[in-house]
Amino acid sequence: MGIIERIKEIEAEMARTQKNKATEYHLGQLKAKIAKLRTQLLEPPKGASGGGEGFEVTKYGHGRVALIGFPSVGKSTLLTMLTGTHSEAASYEFTTLTCIPGVIHYNDTKIQLLDLPGIIEGASEGKGRGRQVIAVAKSSDLVLMVLDASKSEGHRQILTKELEAVGLRLNKKPPQIYFKKKKTGGISFNTTAPLTHIDEKLCYQILHEYKIHNAEVLFRENATVDDFIDVIEGNRKYIKCVYVYNKIDVVGIDDVDRLARQPNSIVISCNLKLNLDRLLARMWDEMGLVRVYSKPQGQQPDFDEPFVLSSDRGGCTVEDFCNHVHRTLVKDMKYALVWGTSARHNPQNCGLSQHLEDEDVVQIVKKKERDEGGRGRFKSHSNAPARIADREKKAPLKQ
Ligand SMILES: Nc1nc2c(ncn2[C@@H]2O[C@H](COP(=O)(O)OP(=O)(O)O)[C@@H](O)[C@H]2O)c(=O)[nH]1
Ligand SMILES: [Mg+2]
């Protein structure tokens, strides 16, 4: 029997099983079985030669956004409107095969937008190019799920389920569960929050299903069986998702109003160019990008070319900024001067751990290596080095 049939069989068994205290453990075990099979499906087939024809799209710009949705909801139209890339024209025969990239220029940053066709065509069953499509979706910073406002609202659930089946978790934080496999010592189970969905016995059974007999488990929140399985599997990807209801030009105002009030949703019309600016602003907010302008000593900041950091990816401290500019800068930095919303006063003297915010201006003041040797000599019996350092700190203030 194939993996897909086995998943279907277990799902059928779960549907047959009544949910109550007595069946709780059995259901938990079945869930773990399905999770294991799904992971197997996503693994590349044994003996496959180096991934086949390349599907992987080179990363470009400061972030990546994936368009996901059923056919004919307006993904290609949206890509064309936002990026000027003619997706449909470029991909006429290959719509279900290729992924069309475009670039959005917004707030002096470049965001790669990907049209990912074919995500629903059996992606979770490992059919066709599903696996590669999923890999690209997982590499995105944000998913835009494009939905047709005039069609059934069930599409949103179907797609979300499909994405969940392949290990994507939309608008969800990783569960607060510490889990570490050990070589010996059995299973140590602890919790710092009252648990209502799972208990020690069920936890043991699930671990048993995974043939894990030595591990440390600590629940820091009231997590569910599914959360625990996610943590054991360890390959889940937590991504933000905005639900984009397109074609609001063909539905009534009441429907538009209702859809707009759904969580994480935005309503647009590509045809009437309605709300596209809001969509861009929303995308920008969700991606958590932080523009930092570098200011060379004694010069004006370069406001044309920001360094773009991300709070989700890599972080946005002064240290992250330094690493962006040049890899030796962290070592050479004496302190940083920061102007902007993250500074308590302008400029503020900061260390590497200072958290930067969007549109901050940063000047890195370097150690003067040769000078230091000289100063070192009278360090012990004079407070001059401190005064010199002080003067140096104050000097840029006057610029
Ligand atoms: N009424 C209406 N039709 C739209 C809108 N956006 C796209 N369409 C139409 O929907 C159809 C499918 O669009 P397409 O971009 O190819 O969808 P895709 O399959 O998701 O890439 C096309 O005929 C578009 O002209 C919209 O905002 N309103
Ligand atoms: Mg299309």
Side-chain angles (χ1 to χ4, degrees), residues 41-91:
L41 265 182
L42 292 177
E43 279 162 6
K46 287 207 176 73
S49 60
E53 305 120 83
F55 180 88
E56 182 51 41
V57 185
T58 315
K59 277 214 175 189
Y60 177 82
H62 302 112
R64 175 179 264 194
V65 177
L67 293 174
I68 288 177
F70 279 91
S72 297
V73 293
K75 297 183 298 298
S76 304
T77 314
L78 185 61
L79 183 88
T80 306
M81 306 225 86
L82 297 181
T83 69
T85 308
H86 291 279
S87 166
E88 210 49 51
S91 64

Side-chain angles (χ1 to χ4, degrees), residues 224-235:
T224 62
V225 173
D226 298 290
D227 290 336
F228 187 48
I229 291 172
D230 281 352
V231 171
I232 298 173
E233 289 276 346
N235 55 3

Side-chain angles (χ1 to χ4, degrees), residues 69-78 87-88 95 115 146 148 246-250 268-273:
F70 279 91
S72 297
V73 293
K75 297 183 298 298
S76 304
T77 314
L78 185 61
S87 166
E88 210 49 51
T95 27
D115 187 358
V146 187
D148 188 331
N246 186 28
K247 308 196 188 181
I248 54 166
D249 49 301
V250 294
I268 62 163
S269 163
C270 289
N271 273 18
L272 299 184
K273 296 199 171 74

Side-chain angles (χ1 to χ4, degrees), residues 290 292-294 307 309 314-339 342-343 348-357 360-365:
V290 170
V292 179
Y293 302 101
S294 122
F307 288 90
L309 309 175
C316 39
T317 60
V318 167
E319 182 169 2
D320 300 318
F321 169 74
C322 286
N323 288 331
H324 244 72
V325 179
H326 195 271
R327 68 192 156 80
T328 62
L329 199 54
V330 166
K331 273 208 322 273
D332 297 341
M333 183 182 106
K334 191 168 180 185
Y335 59 90
L337 289 166
V338 177
W339 290 257
S342 82
Q348 187 187 340
N349 283 4
C350 299
L352 287 172
S353 62
Q354 169 79 8
H355 223 77
L356 298 171
E357 287 172 10
D360 278 354
V361 171
V362 176
Q363 178 184 327
I364 302 295
V365 179

Side-chain angles (χ1 to χ4, degrees), residues 93-114:
E93 280 171 71
F94 310 100
T95 27
T96 52
L97 298 179
T98 343
C99 155
I100 310 294
V103 180
I104 301 172
H105 296 264
Y106 188 75
N107 278 353
D108 289 330
T109 57
K110 300 186 190 89
I111 298 166
Q112 185 177 44
L113 187 64
L114 301 178

